[in-house]
Amino acid sequence: MSSALVVGYDPQAIPGVGGEALRTALDAELARFGEHGIDAAMTLIMFDESAESTLVASLTKQPWDVVVVGGGIRKTEPLLPLFEQIVNLIRRHAPQAAIAFNTSGGDSVEAAQRWL
């Protein structure tokens, strides 16, 4: 079975966004991986000192086939340093994994499938 790690920004940390509703949508997307025969996990990080240790723990938990980086991190200009950090941590701690990018929380499966 293929494996995927989805990395996203914690919706509870986004001011003015309905964090509960967004989290429900992310959980539904995570469940879709199983429907496609992909073992998947999600790591939600914050733009603070915990980001690196949280991500490294997830990256080294198992050998991932693909790591999907969410659009909320990639598309938000103030998070550019976090995006760079994530890409470099993936290269360092999961070098066997392909790196994929989704356009929204609803197409992470398709992003992963491009590389599986």
Side-chain angles (χ1 to χ4, degrees):
M1 180 179 278
S2 297
S3 63
L5 175 64
V6 179
V7 179
Y9 195 62
D10 187 336
Q12 302 296 336
I14 304 170
V17 172
E20 298 284 328
L22 185 51
R23 179 58 197 246
T24 299
L26 292 174
D27 288 341
E29 181 67 4
L30 189 60
R32 268 192 349 110
F33 278 93
E35 296 168 11
H36 292 274
I38 302 168
D39 177 33
M42 185 180 321
T43 296
L44 299 175
I45 58 176
M46 297 180 62
F47 189 33
D48 65 15
E49 64 281 345
S50 70
E52 182 172 348
S53 62
T54 300
L55 184 55
V56 169
S58 294
L59 289 169
T60 58
K61 182 178 180 182
Q62 71 179 64
W64 301 103
D65 294 312
V66 63
V67 178
V68 179
V69 180
I73 293 172
R74 196 178 69 262
K75 296 177 181 180
T76 307
E77 189 173 331
L79 297 180
L80 180 61
L82 177 62
F83 173 58
E84 290 175 338
Q85 180 183 22
I86 289 169
V87 170
N88 283 295
L89 288 171
I90 294 168
R91 289 182 55 229
R92 195 171 310 131
H93 296 284
Q96 77 290 344
I99 301 173
F101 304 104
N102 67 16
T103 59
S104 71
D107 67 355
S108 295
V109 172
E110 290 75 15
Q113 286 178 319
R114 288 194 296 269
W115 295 98
L116 296 175

